[in-house]
Amino acid sequence: MVYDTRPLANGLRTDHPVPGLPFVDDSHLPLDEGPDAIEAVGRNKGEGMWGRCDTSHEGGWLAFTTDPIAPHLGWAVRHHPEHGRTVLLLRDEDTASLHTDWSGAPLLFRAGGYWWDGQSWYRPGQIWDPVSEDYARHAARATTTVHAADVLDGHACPDHARVHKVATFDPEAAVPKNWADDLTRWAQHHQKQPDPLPLNRCVVDLATPELAGDRLLGVPDMAALGGITASTLRGYISRGENDIPLPQASVGGRAQWSRPVAGDWAEARRRSSEGLREAMTADDRHRLAPGAVQIRDRFSESFFRFLWKRPDVRKRWALRHRTEPNVREVADQLAFDVADSLRRIIPTDALGPTVRHAVLEDFATSLRASERRGRRLKDFDLILSVPLAKMLSWFIQHFPTSAQWYVGEIMGEAERQLGIPAQISGEALRRSAILNGKLEEQAAKEFFSRVVPRDPES
């Protein structure tokens, strides 16, 4: 999850104001009536309007809605029973993105994607963990949570602040001149709310050494970490490509990132499909993977020998032989050379055992499910996953003699290890290859009639 949502303003009834953003009156929203009421404000209320709410596995709920007064804007709300609520105004098209970002552990975001789960601060999630099927959580070091009570010092002038109306809100014109004034006015309003969250629990920001100004990196250093040029990185940013994280600060209009965030981005880039492809194809002129390089070189040499080394073929380069039938004959011969070389492309000695192990595992899973239901196993109880059925069908169509051997092994192992009669396992394989593998019925009949043992009682 690369956080890239930019809120426009704080709702006046938020518990956790985002630094630097103006405050907008949200009194027309039913914040105290729960998520369903917020969703109902915009859901199906007009063209282009929408709303949604969900409970969170991490506690509380989240909701968003199109603003009924200014439909180009929308509100997003994250509520936690212990830590209060965040209320943000965004462009309407951004509300669903923030809703998704809030659907997990994050309760709020600061400093370009650093997030807080109610106890700890974490850096923006960028590196995908295939085991947990989520972005890796990297805790920020030596963090201090900055609360509203820490910032309010009594020297601000709340009368100089302005609470904006959503109907006339202009993000460009609403930038606070002195945000301390706006925060103080918000605090005065906050304290008048029923049972307000104490100001010493209202999160404003975080402080950590890695966000210190002298430790932040600009575009050149960020690009160097990623192994690209500064101009390439600027291009990525302008086009919204390559999941560039939001900067942690902007100094003189120039984006600045913390070194750990830049390092995580570089690592995510290295682990990406593009990064892997670059690493695996770096030495090839066509940017092919190593295995594809071997195939290309093998057939390049084979085709060259056929087209140039054989006099009977080479003579066809003469103009009088460049007829469609002659060219078709040469093309057919080259295609035959590829088809006849499949065993040199696909390692059937490795593919067969792989299919065998996978099928037996699916059979064992089906058998356990049948036993739990307390029923006698039938052939239609044995189920292969769709990808495995497709692989089995492909194996049979491309390497029927190898498939014959390994399907025989599958039926034998199923009978010895799982107690499944060969006729039942064979029928299950045939049915799966047809239904999910798309093997033609006639081809399946011809193949399995030669592989499955005849029923001794038939």
Side-chain angles (χ1 to χ4, degrees):
M1 172 201 62
V2 177
Y3 176 78
D4 58 2
T5 306
R6 299 175 185 266
L8 303 176
N10 295 293
L12 187 58
R13 287 180 288 172
T14 190
D15 290 325
H16 307 296
V18 177
L21 293 186
F23 291 87
V24 174
D25 184 5
D26 56 18
S27 59
H28 60 300
L29 298 179
L31 298 181
D32 298 324
E33 298 177 24
D36 292 327
I38 296 172
E39 175 189 280
V41 170
R43 192 177 185 93
N44 297 321
K45 291 301 175 63
E47 184 177 355
M49 296 185 65
W50 195 244
R52 175 169 176 168
C53 66
D54 292 281
T55 57
S56 171
H57 296 300
E58 310 293 336
W61 51 264
L62 49 154
F64 71 87
T65 183
T66 303
D67 188 273
I69 300 172
H72 65 289
L73 301 174
W75 297 90
V77 183
R78 176 70 169 93
H79 179 273
H80 190 278
E82 179 182 354
H83 301 295
R85 68 190 173 200
T86 293
V87 185
L88 292 174
L89 182 68
L90 307 96
R91 295 191 302 269
D92 188 52
E93 61 266 27
D94 289 340
T95 53
S97 295
L98 182 55
H99 190 83
T100 300
D101 293 338
W102 270 341
S103 63
L107 296 180
L108 51 84
F109 296 91
R110 295 292 186 271
Y114 279 73
W115 57 275
W116 184 67
D117 66 354
Q119 295 183 337
S120 304
W121 286 94
Y122 298 86
R123 300 184 192 116
Q126 300 184 79
I127 301 175
W128 182 255
D129 181 355
V131 177
S132 64
E133 295 185 337
D134 199 356
Y135 289 94
R137 295 187 184 184
H138 293 163
R141 298 175 182 173
T143 58
T144 299
T145 302
V146 180
H147 298 94
D150 303 322
V151 181
L152 297 165
D153 58 9
H155 298 296
C157 299
D159 292 340
H160 294 170
R162 178 186 176 189
V163 176
H164 298 266
K165 297 294 185 182
V166 71
T168 57
F169 178 71
D170 179 1
E172 300 297 328
V175 178
K177 295 181 179 180
N178 185 350
W179 193 69
D181 296 343
D182 296 73
L183 182 66
T184 302
R185 184 164 181 177
W186 162 83
Q188 293 175 346
H189 183 275
H190 178 77
Q191 293 300 90
K192 296 177 183 178
Q193 300 298 309
D195 193 23
L197 190 70
L199 292 176
N200 61 3
R201 292 177 55 200
C202 294
V203 178
V204 173
D205 210 345
L206 82 154
T208 171
E210 59 194 62
L211 290 176
D214 59 349
R215 297 191 180 186
L216 298 180
L217 306 180
V219 166
D221 291 330
M222 174 88 160
L225 278 177
I228 58 177
T229 65
S231 61
T232 298
L233 178 57
R234 291 190 182 96
Y236 287 162
I237 295 172
S238 66
R239 297 189 298 271
E241 297 176 350
N242 285 68
D243 289 332
I244 309 299
L246 287 180
Q248 276 61 68
S250 179
V251 180
R254 297 183 176 182
Q256 304 275 293
W257 292 266
S258 75
R259 182 173 291 276
V261 169
D264 284 350
W265 171 74
E267 178 64 11
R269 175 177 166 79
R270 191 183 74 86
R271 290 171 174 262
S272 68
S273 298
E274 180 182 346
L276 179 60
R277 189 179 302 109
E278 289 178 356
M280 296 295 288
T281 64
D283 297 329
D284 181 63
R285 67 187 185 278
H286 292 143
R287 313 294 289 176
L288 292 175
V293 169
Q294 295 175 9
I295 294 173
R296 179 202 61 201
D297 292 347
R298 181 187 304 144
F299 283 110
S300 175
E301 181 60 29
S302 175
F303 292 166
F304 179 76
R305 287 197 308 269
F306 175 75
L307 295 172
W308 191 255
K309 298 293 186 179
R310 288 178 49 175
D312 60 319
V313 177
R314 184 175 175 179
K315 69 180 183 181
R316 298 186 184 184
W317 292 106
L319 183 60
R320 65 180 183 276
H321 291 298
R322 296 180 194 175
T323 63
E324 182 176 345
N326 285 333
V327 173
R328 170 60 64 186
E329 184 179 349
V330 172
D332 287 346
Q333 181 60 46
L334 295 176
F336 170 78
D337 198 17
V338 174
D340 193 47
S341 300
L342 272 180
R343 290 188 181 277
R344 301 171 64 190
I345 301 174
I346 307 295
T348 56
D349 58 334
L351 176 60
T354 302
V355 171
R356 182 187 67 212
H357 285 297
V359 170
L360 290 173
E361 177 60 29
D362 273 10
F363 278 0
T365 300
S366 298
L367 185 61
R368 288 192 293 270
S370 180
E371 290 173 347
R372 284 195 299 269
R373 293 193 297 267
R375 56 188 286 178
R376 183 180 177 183
L377 182 71
K378 300 183 182 299
D379 61 77
F380 53 78
D381 290 327
L382 295 177
I383 300 173
L384 296 187
S385 64
V386 173
L388 182 53
K390 289 182 177 180
M391 189 71 257
L392 175 65
S393 176
W394 186 93
F395 195 20
I396 292 172
Q397 292 179 80
H398 290 79
F399 302 105
T401 56
S402 291
Q404 179 186 33
W405 173 265
Y406 287 108
V407 167
E409 283 198 343
I410 289 170
M411 292 186 295
E413 291 295 320
E415 192 161 39
R416 289 188 294 272
Q417 295 182 18
L418 305 175
I420 302 174
Q423 285 72 29
I424 290 181
S425 62
E427 174 58 22
L429 293 174
R430 187 195 67 82
R431 188 183 62 255
S432 292
I434 293 173
L435 295 180
N436 293 327
K438 307 305 181 184
L439 182 65
E440 292 184 358
E441 288 198 31
Q442 184 60 33
K445 177 181 177 181
E446 294 294 341
F447 177 82
F448 283 98
S449 67
R450 290 167 168 79
V451 179
V452 179
R454 296 181 60 180
D455 189 340
E457 298 182 0
S458 63

